[in-house]
Amino acid sequence: GTKKKAACPGLGLFYTILSAFLFSVASLFLKKIEDIHSVEVSAFRCVFQMAFVLPGLIYYKTGFLGPKGKRIFLFFRGFLGSTAMVLLYYAYQVMPLADATVITFTSPVFTSLLAWIFLKEKYSLWDLLFTLFAITGVILIARPPFLFGSRVTGIEGSYSDHLKGTIAAIASTLSAASTIVILRKVGKSVHYFLSIWYYAVIGLIGCVIALFVLNEWRLPHCGRDRVFLILIGVLGLGGQIFLTKALQIEKAGPVSIMKTMDVVFAFILQVLFLNHLPTWWTVGGALCVVASSSGTAIRKWRHSVKKAKQREI
């Protein structure tokens, strides 16, 4: 179908910036919460997702399970999507906010790679170059001792936690890229609300099971942390809504490029509220990753525009 035109020029890009800001503030609140496991925070986020999606499912009469032939794809979309969320929240908790945010922006690069493997989409030399740029950026952020020596500066806590956070962020990015490939496979045969429903339900079930196994369930000791938990759910939901609205009225390419404002907001919030100055290694890694993700988005955008013109002809 055709894209709806924006009510005013740049409205879709404004929605994208607003979405990036809401996601970044939610990440900041996550850093401010004390002694609450990332799995529990994810469980609260899933509850908010379910509360938002349930009226939509009833209104659009989509059902709760979806088409029979698509349920297995929806299950894996929900499982991988919720896994990506838990891992990302863990990365936010144990490593600098900007570092974790930058690593998540390698997702478009890994999406192209996975789409080439599983969907037989074209993978060019440019895509390979962007992948190498993304890997270089991650290496600059992780700074493994065998390349950078044993004295690693500019990290939070121990290097062991920094490395665990980096691995979690990369695994989160791969999981998120896998969900996009699954959504491409499913196509438009499944309503967007149903996809989020699987994400929230499977995520909540998985988080509850994990909390019992880890014995990590606990309510925050103070009212401030409880407010932060609620705000994380509300802001995360708001960010998702505005990003969806942006994609409805603007092409995916410009939205993907403008979404790199996530990185800018992460750097600003980290300096202002966490008193943690990013190192030059992080800045260099951020430039590599942003260049890689922007290049991937521009190539996909130009390719879609070219195909649209060919259809018109």
Side-chain angles (χ1 to χ4, degrees), residues 37-282:
H37 200 281
S38 59
V39 177
E40 185 174 347
V41 180
S42 302
F44 274 90
R45 169 74 183 274
C46 289
V47 170
F48 276 92
Q49 295 272 71
M50 290 174 64
F52 167 73
V53 171
L54 186 58
L57 293 179
I58 297 172
Y59 178 80
Y60 289 107
K61 300 178 180 179
T62 62
F64 295 96
L65 297 177
K68 286 187 177 180
K70 305 294 183 181
R71 290 175 187 173
I72 186 65
F73 295 111
L74 287 170
F75 171 81
F76 280 109
R77 180 267 183 272
F79 175 75
L80 291 169
S82 56
T83 300
M85 176 178 58
V86 173
L87 291 170
L88 179 59
Y89 282 1
Y90 174 78
Y92 281 141
Q93 288 183 330
V94 300
M95 67 188 302
L97 179 63
D99 291 20
T101 302
V102 168
I103 292 176
T104 63
F105 271 82
T106 59
S107 181
V109 179
F110 288 122
T111 301
S112 298
L113 182 60
L114 293 175
W116 171 60
I117 295 172
F118 295 105
L119 302 180
K120 309 303 179 184
E121 293 186 6
K122 186 178 179 181
Y123 191 80
S124 66
L125 288 175
W126 279 108
D127 293 313
L128 177 60
L129 179 63
F130 294 142
T131 301
L132 294 176
F133 257 91
I135 293 173
T136 301
V138 172
I139 290 174
L140 291 176
I141 291 171
R143 281 165 281 165
F146 69 89
L147 289 177
F148 293 83
S150 58
R151 297 181 64 184
V152 179
T153 59
I155 62 175
E156 290 180 1
S158 66
Y159 180 77
S160 175
D161 284 341
H162 184 79
L163 184 60
K164 289 177 183 177
T166 300
I167 293 172
I170 294 171
S172 171
T173 301
L174 287 171
S175 296
S178 299
T179 63
I180 295 174
V181 171
I182 291 172
L183 290 174
R184 285 187 189 175
K185 179 70 175 179
V186 171
K188 297 181 179 180
S189 60
V190 175
H191 197 277
Y192 173 75
F193 276 134
L194 192 60
S195 174
I196 299 180
W197 175 254
Y198 266 82
Y199 174 103
V201 171
I202 294 175
L204 181 60
I205 293 172
C207 287
V208 170
I209 293 173
L211 286 170
F212 275 107
V213 172
L214 297 171
N215 194 26
E216 286 286 350
W217 174 263
R218 64 172 69 90
L219 284 174
H221 297 296
C222 67
R224 188 196 70 163
D225 284 352
R226 296 180 185 183
V227 172
F228 282 164
L229 269 179
I230 295 172
L231 287 175
I232 289 169
V234 172
L235 292 171
L237 181 58
Q240 190 68 51
I241 292 172
F242 281 112
L243 182 59
T244 303
K245 289 179 69 67
L247 289 169
Q248 287 175 342
I249 61 178
E250 185 60 80
K251 293 183 182 296
V255 170
S256 297
I257 296 169
M258 191 59 67
K259 200 175 181 303
T260 56
M261 285 298 295
D262 271 1
V263 176
V264 177
F265 287 134
F267 275 99
I268 294 173
L269 294 176
Q270 177 175 299
V271 173
L272 292 180
F273 297 100
L274 300 176
N275 297 319
H276 187 91
L277 290 173
T279 65
W280 286 111
W281 294 115
T282 297

